[in-house]
Amino acid sequence: MDRVLGLSLGHARSDKGIDEESLRLIEEREMERARRNFKRADEIRELLRERGITLEDTPSGTKWSHAER
């Protein structure tokens, strides 16, 4: 599904530093953005931020990283 939506999550799946639930939320956020449901996409971004995950939207898809603490 990530290839269909143009997500850059392949590297994240092999990274043991992120859990499956967070990956699912990132994918859900991309679907909501594609549907132009920006309110829900922002809610998901905030949930991920609370988990210590920062998102960056790029032309090639969304990239995630651990927030600096």
Side-chain angles (χ1 to χ4, degrees):
M1 179 175 13
D2 58 337
R3 282 184 238 137
V4 172
L5 295 173
L7 304 177
S8 300
L9 300 176
H11 70 285
R13 292 186 194 287
S14 64
D15 187 338
K16 292 178 174 56
I18 189 168
D19 61 280
E20 289 295 319
E21 177 66 15
S22 294
L23 284 175
R24 188 193 63 73
L25 285 170
I26 292 169
E27 291 175 351
E28 179 184 345
R29 180 178 175 273
E30 283 300 305
M31 288 189 301
E32 295 302 337
R33 289 182 71 229
R35 293 179 183 143
R36 304 191 58 78
N37 184 355
F38 299 116
K39 180 180 180 188
R40 177 63 182 147
D42 289 344
E43 290 170 354
I44 294 169
R45 180 188 287 270
E46 180 61 23
L47 287 171
L48 290 164
R49 189 193 63 74
E50 291 171 2
R51 292 174 175 228
I53 299 169
T54 301
L55 300 179
E56 177 186 359
D57 296 320
T58 71
S60 62
T62 299
K63 299 183 188 281
W64 66 268
S65 64
H66 292 282
E68 294 185 27
R69 295 174 192 241

